């Protein structure tokens, strides 16, 4: 008789929604849903999928996912082993930085060296750290040091990738070092990034031209107010307010001298 493994109550997408602080009634962004499916379940040896893979590169799943085939013969069910839900969080972190395929490689490298004397290197992170980040990533506070912080955690022999959380790639977030809520906006297909970035550039140019009121107005007219909370935007907004206050103080000082 097969040994029964205790598992988490929530399914993988439900756990992910908790980490990105998404409402239970909301649908997990398709990009994240597909990525997690690829990392943890796609091609499982008991899966009915045509692309079944017994690759040794997926052995890490044994430490994270418990799979069972229901008696009524439907598709195999994948659940997170009790106490391993941090793996879902960590997959989201790594996917944000390096994508699906590389996340799988990092999980496997960790798994393969977990009980050996071989030193983990995670050269993939070094490789990606040298690449230029997209404008969207920069707006969310992702920086080159994001890769370094996560790599340092991964090579720490005391860190457990399956039960402990990596630092969030969104380092500028002030709500916590493991905050992944920005993902809720980053992968929202309704966000018009092109238009938003154009407005940001306009506001920045107005600030540099000392047209602070116009700069502030441009930001205040951004339709999706969630974007105003992005680290880079808050930094610009604070600079605009500081310049407005400085101008106001200078004017009051001049007014007092005249009078």
């Amino acid at each position: 008789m097969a040994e029964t493994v205790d598992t988490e109550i929530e399914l993988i997408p439900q756990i992910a929604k908790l980490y990105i602080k998404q409402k239970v009634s909301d649908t997990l962004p398709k990009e994240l849903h597909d990525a997690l499916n690829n990392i943890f379940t796609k091609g499982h040896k008991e899966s009915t999928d045509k692309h079944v893979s017994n690759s040794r590169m997926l052995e890490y799943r044994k430490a994270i996912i418990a799979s069972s085939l229901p008696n009524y013969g439907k598709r195999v069910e994948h659940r997170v082993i009790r106490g391993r839900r941090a793996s879902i969080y960590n997959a989201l972190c790594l996917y944000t930085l390096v994508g699906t395929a590389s996340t799988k490689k990092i999980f496997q490298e960790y798994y393969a060296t977990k009980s050996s004397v071989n030193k983990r290197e995670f050269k993939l992170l070094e490789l990606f750290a040298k690449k230029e980040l997209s404008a969207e990533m920069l707006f969310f506070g992702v920086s080159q040091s994001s890769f370094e912080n996560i790599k340092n955690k991964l090579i720490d022999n005391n860190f457990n990738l399956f039960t402990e959380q990596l630092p969030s790639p969104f380092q500028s977030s002030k709500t916590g070092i493991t905050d992944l809520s920005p993902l809720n906006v980053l992968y929202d297909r309704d966000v018009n990034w092109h238009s938003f970035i154009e407005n940001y550039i306009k506001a920045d140019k107005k600030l540099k031209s000392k047209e602070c009121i116009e700069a502030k107005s441009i930001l205040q007219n951004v339709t999706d107010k969630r974007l105003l909370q992005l680290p880079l935007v808050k930094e610009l907004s604070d600079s605009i307010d500081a310049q407005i206050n400085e101008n106001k103080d200078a004017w009051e000082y001049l007014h007092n001298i005249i009078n």
Side-chain angles (χ1 to χ4, degrees), residues 33-44:
H33 179 278
D34 291 351
L36 292 173
N37 181 51
N38 196 312
I39 294 165
F40 293 114
T41 69
K42 188 176 180 181
H44 192 279

Side-chain angles (χ1 to χ4, degrees), residues 115-131:
S115 302
S116 74
V117 294
N118 295 330
K119 184 180 178 181
R120 296 191 293 267
E121 297 181 341
F122 300 106
K123 291 182 178 178
L124 270 173
L125 285 174
E126 289 182 6
L127 204 67
F128 277 87
K130 297 174 183 177
K131 292 187 176 181

Side-chain angles (χ1 to χ4, degrees), residues 196-230:
F196 168 68
I197 292 173
E198 275 190 345
N199 285 329
Y200 174 87
I201 293 172
K202 287 178 184 177
D204 185 52
K205 286 182 177 178
K206 290 292 184 183
L207 173 61
K208 289 174 179 174
S209 300
K210 305 298 182 182
E211 300 174 75
C212 304
I213 302 302
E214 291 84 349
K216 191 172 183 67
S217 176
I218 290 171
L219 287 185
Q220 288 178 333
N221 288 329
V222 170
T223 306
D224 193 334
K225 300 306 178 185
R226 296 176 303 172
L227 299 173
L228 299 179
Q229 301 305 312
L230 300 181

Side-chain angles (χ1 to χ4, degrees), residues 52 54 63 82 155 170 215:
V52 169
N54 291 313
R82 179 78 68 180
I155 62 178
F170 310 109

Side-chain angles (χ1 to χ4, degrees), residues 63-81:
I64 304 167
I65 303 297
S67 302
S68 61
L69 192 63
N71 295 329
Y72 40 86
K74 289 190 177 181
R75 192 186 186 95
V76 66
E77 186 178 66
H78 307 285
R79 286 189 174 271
V80 178
I81 297 171

